[in-house]
DNA sequence: GCATCTGCCTAAAACCTTTAGGCAAATAGT
DNA sequence: ACTATTTGCCTAAAGGTTTTAGGCAGATGC
């Protein structure tokens, strides 16, 4: 009996690929076993259960996204940083729809704490350093940016903006312009 | 054998309740059958399959949301309309998390065409009539508003803004203020 | 009162999840 | 190098969900 060389690492990575190919909610322990040409039960020495698998894929996606965000932010500031960071989200979701869906998977508190969630909000806050916002407005703005990026990308993934003019890329650019303008002129309470 | 009185209508409605109670992705044909105290196979004379059930729940949620939006918009304009409409989304998602999740369910093109999606974008456009936007900026703004509402509500549902100051309600109000300011001063290309 | 139709049933196959227990390959101790 | 232990994948099995096929009885129509 030749060993397949299963590891948590490889299982998670293969799960992420599977998600991109067939959709995150089609990611199943069975499908993963099939992909490694191994019996299903074998995976249960590595994974606690199916929720565990999905959580690990989610954490992977969040890390990858944060890595890309950090790379995009390096050496940029102001609107330049804002646009680059926004594109990271959109491009990642388009390249890796399954992983992006995974990043939305509801994590339990411990997983959430161990996730790259903190890096994401710190990066968003770093972008806002290019604008003159003070607390609590900076926090409101962090939440607004997170909402727009996530919301736009989700709606786009659902096909919300396809088949209608103007095309999605143009709206995306103009929305980034609008957010930049808004952050430069954040209204007083 | 006493008949249970299953109809598409009742099944969809019960499915929506089930979604709110146990989460949309726990909505299963089996669970629904259990709720009607009926054998699973019996539902298949009413429903094509499990995707069909989920689609119908999604359509119901979109209609309900559109109805609430229409009610909120009646007699309002400008920022008043914007804030009321925004609250409709947020309140609906908080009251009916399962239904709101359903409203995000990926519809196939025919279902999407028959959905209340069109009403939603028409209502958003109606709000923008209180601001001086011309095409294509109006469309960009429609997409921005949709993204913010959906994005914020999704992140909030995921627990994104809980356990941290300032509280979510305050951010929500300030974000609506900010959007109003932005729409009044939409940047030229 | 009979015929038809409709609604819910039983049966069954296919697939996914998860647990328990076993054998063989890898690894470590002497 | 040989034994002992650990580790990795296996078989087996139980329980749940999905979906199709075919049947019987209660509701509906003539």
């Amino acid at each position: 009996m030749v060993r397949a060389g299963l590891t948590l690492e490889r299982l998670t990575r293969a799960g992420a690929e599977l998600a991109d190919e067939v959709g995150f909610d089609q990611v199943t322990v069975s499908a993963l076993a099939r992909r490694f040409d191994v019996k299903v039960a074998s995976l249960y020495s590595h994974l606690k259960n199916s929720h565990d698998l999905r959580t690990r894929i989610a954490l992977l996606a969040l890390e990858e996204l944060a890595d890309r965000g950090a790379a995009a932010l390096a050496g940029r500031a102001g609107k330049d940083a804002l646009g680059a960071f926004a594109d990271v989200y959109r491009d990642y979701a388009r390249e890796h729809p399954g992983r992006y869906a995974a990043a939305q998977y509801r994590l339990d508190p411990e997983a959430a704490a161990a996730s790259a969630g903190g890096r994401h909000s710190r990066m968003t806050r770093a972008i806002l350093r290019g604008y003159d916002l003070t607390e609590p407005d900076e926090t409101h703005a962090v939440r607004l940016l997170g909402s727009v990026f996530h919301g736009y990308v989700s709606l786009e993934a659902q096909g919300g903006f396809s088949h209608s003019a103007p095309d999605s890329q143009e709206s995306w650019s103009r929305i980034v312009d609008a957010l930049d303008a808004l952050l430069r002129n954040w209204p007083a309470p």
Side-chain angles (χ1 to χ4, degrees), chain A:
Chain A
M1 184 196 319
V2 187
R3 297 200 175 180
L6 304 181
T7 64
L8 254 185
E9 183 76 18
R10 292 186 63 200
L11 288 172
T12 307
R13 205 156 287 286
E17 285 163 21
L18 190 58
D20 285 335
E21 290 166 21
V22 304
F24 182 61
D25 34 45
Q26 310 301 320
V27 171
T28 165
V29 181
S30 297
L32 199 55
R34 237 174 276 130
R35 173 167 286 231
F36 280 96
D37 201 29
V38 136
K39 298 296 170 182
V40 194
S42 307
L43 300 199
Y44 281 85
S45 7
H46 302 273
L47 301 167
K48 242 179 55 219
N49 50 39
S50 137
H51 171 64
D52 183 30
L53 169 62
R54 282 186 254 268
T55 296
R56 286 175 196 283
I57 297 173
L59 294 175
L60 172 68
L62 287 169
E63 288 291 347
E64 288 184 351
L65 201 43
D67 289 346
R68 287 197 184 195
L73 249 41
R76 287 190 230 258
K79 184 178 176 183
D80 192 29
L82 178 68
F85 195 67
D87 282 343
V88 163
Y89 270 83
R90 182 159 179 259
D91 293 345
Y92 188 79
R94 288 153 71 99
E95 285 170 38
H96 298 297
R99 283 157 147 101
Y100 188 80
Q104 258 56 66
Y105 187 63
R106 196 164 178 54
L107 300 175
D108 20 43
E110 354 115 41
S115 80
R119 286 176 73 197
H120 285 270
S121 51
R122 278 194 298 280
M123 288 190 286
T124 308
R125 227 169 261 279
I127 292 170
L128 292 178
R129 250 173 251 131
Y131 299 89
D132 283 334
L133 292 172
T134 53
E135 287 301 353
D137 286 333
E138 190 173 281
T139 299
H140 300 321
V142 167
R143 291 172 177 181
L144 171 62
L145 291 182
S147 300
V148 176
F149 296 162
H150 170 50
Y152 193 93
V153 161
S154 300
L155 294 178
E156 188 177 37
Q158 270 181 30
F161 309 144
S162 44
H163 325 306
S164 59
D167 81 31
S168 186
Q169 175 56 51
E170 195 192 330
S171 284
W172 186 243
S173 307
R174 301 290 288 110
I175 284 173
V176 170
D177 292 344
L179 290 173
D180 173 64
L182 174 60
L183 293 172
R184 279 188 283 98
N185 296 292
W186 190 266

